[in-house]
Amino acid sequence: MKNMCVAHRGFSGKAPENTLAAIRMAIALPFVRWMEIDVQLTRDGVPVVIHDFSLDRTTNGHGKVKNMDYEHVRRLDAGSWKGRAFRGERVPSLEEVLQLASGRLRLNIELKTSGDMYPGLEKAVIDLVNTHGMRDEVVLTSFDAGSLQRIKELDPRFRTGLIYDARSGDPARKLKELDCSFLSISFDRLNPGLAKLLAERGVRVMAWTVNKAKEMRRLAAMHSDIMICTNRPDIWGDTFLEI
């Protein structure tokens, strides 16, 4: 089965997203070879793994990530919202996640930014990944074209990917313009023609977020190279490993 399983923010169906608990649960499943995470910068320039621009939904803190120092963010509880068993889980730094994932999981690192929201984000992420010798184990993705261009300017050896969710437009053309070899796309935006075209061009496609077996099978039938990004890697296992 070529349709690789990508754990979305770790095993986020069972554990609090983007925490070390969710990552460890994903690593524990031998068929999970990829994981998608989200990275932002604290006010003092530390890359942290969290999805929302605000702390409110997934922690007991309030306010914007970009307005908080790392020492403040790391003290927050990022687990209790998911269940008492996860009380005390923290917002991890990218450094911690790289240490845990190295040699175990490849990473799709989404740079959560827009315009000049996070000056220096690209360099901070690139420097950490290179320090850990993981450049060949990651793809750096973003909705933001400027961010993808900055990555290539800083270190063209990095593989980059466009995140695309528009109902219209030409993602294949946009990928070519940005020199991207990876497309992250909402699963309901993907069709067989686009999947075939991109595969012929050597572009890897990841479809998100797919949590039902029926949709997983539909994508697998569409093309064998489509990566399936899911909150529920256990469902992926039940769907494909029984075949």
Side-chain angles (χ1 to χ4, degrees):
M1 177 53 61
K2 290 185 178 180
N3 294 95
M4 287 192 291
C5 180
V6 184
H8 184 235
R9 307 176 197 170
F11 195 156
S12 57
K14 293 287 184 70
E17 65 182 59
N18 280 325
T19 63
L20 297 184
I23 295 166
R24 290 189 182 101
M25 287 180 71
I27 289 173
L29 297 173
F31 53 84
V32 175
R33 305 292 175 84
W34 276 85
M35 178 174 66
E36 186 269 354
I37 59 171
D38 308 280
V39 174
Q40 299 180 55
L41 276 187
T42 59
R43 181 167 56 187
D44 49 346
V46 178
V48 290
V49 179
I50 185 171
H51 176 269
D52 296 6
F53 292 130
S54 166
L55 296 162
D56 295 53
R57 180 177 65 88
T58 59
T59 80
N60 62 341
H62 303 284
K64 303 289 189 183
V65 175
K66 68 185 183 72
N67 295 333
M68 306 295 170
D69 289 336
Y70 174 61
E71 283 302 316
H72 173 79
V73 173
R74 71 187 295 269
R75 289 196 298 269
L76 299 175
D77 183 334
S80 291
W81 68 275
K82 191 74 172 180
R84 284 185 295 178
F86 299 107
R87 177 189 292 178
E89 280 296 317
R90 306 300 177 191
V91 175
S93 67
L94 177 59
E95 173 94 42
E96 291 174 302
V97 174
L98 293 176
Q99 290 172 348
L100 189 55
S102 181
R104 298 182 177 95
L105 289 175
R106 293 178 179 269
L107 296 176
N108 172 351
I109 302 175
E110 177 181 348
L111 278 61
K112 298 289 294 186
T113 187
S114 179
D116 60 355
M117 176 182 284
Y118 287 123
L121 173 62
E122 295 81 14
K123 186 177 188 305
V125 171
I126 283 171
D127 287 350
L128 273 177
V129 172
N130 280 333
T131 295
H132 286 272
M134 294 179 66
R135 187 179 66 245
D136 294 335
E137 298 172 52
V138 308
V139 58
L140 302 182
T141 63
S142 185
F143 280 102
D144 190 82
S147 183
L148 296 172
Q149 290 167 334
R150 284 189 289 275
I151 292 165
K152 289 297 188 182
E153 290 166 1
L154 288 164
D155 193 335
R157 297 172 297 177
F158 270 83
R159 188 180 185 189
T160 54
L162 175 67
I163 307 174
Y164 195 85
D165 194 27
R167 292 186 178 275
S168 60
D170 186 353
R173 178 182 59 79
K174 194 71 175 174
L175 287 164
K176 189 173 182 180
E177 288 176 359
L178 294 169
D179 192 24
C180 291
S181 59
F182 191 97
L183 177 67
S184 176
I185 187 169
S186 178
F187 79 91
D188 57 356
R189 302 283 186 270
L190 192 56
N191 60 69
L194 179 60
K196 182 174 183 292
L197 173 65
L198 294 176
E200 289 170 351
R201 293 184 179 182
V203 174
R204 200 61 188 266
V205 176
M206 186 191 80
W208 48 267
T209 304
V210 193
N211 296 321
K212 294 181 179 179
K214 179 181 178 181
E215 292 296 344
M216 292 180 185
R217 291 192 187 98
R218 183 180 69 83
L219 289 164
M222 192 181 296
H223 202 285
S224 61
D225 286 345
I226 296 170
M227 300 167 72
I228 295 175
C229 185
T230 179
N231 299 332
R232 294 292 305 270
D234 54 329
I235 292 177
W236 184 101
D238 291 342
T239 301
F240 294 122
L241 298 185
E242 66 187 21
I243 297 174

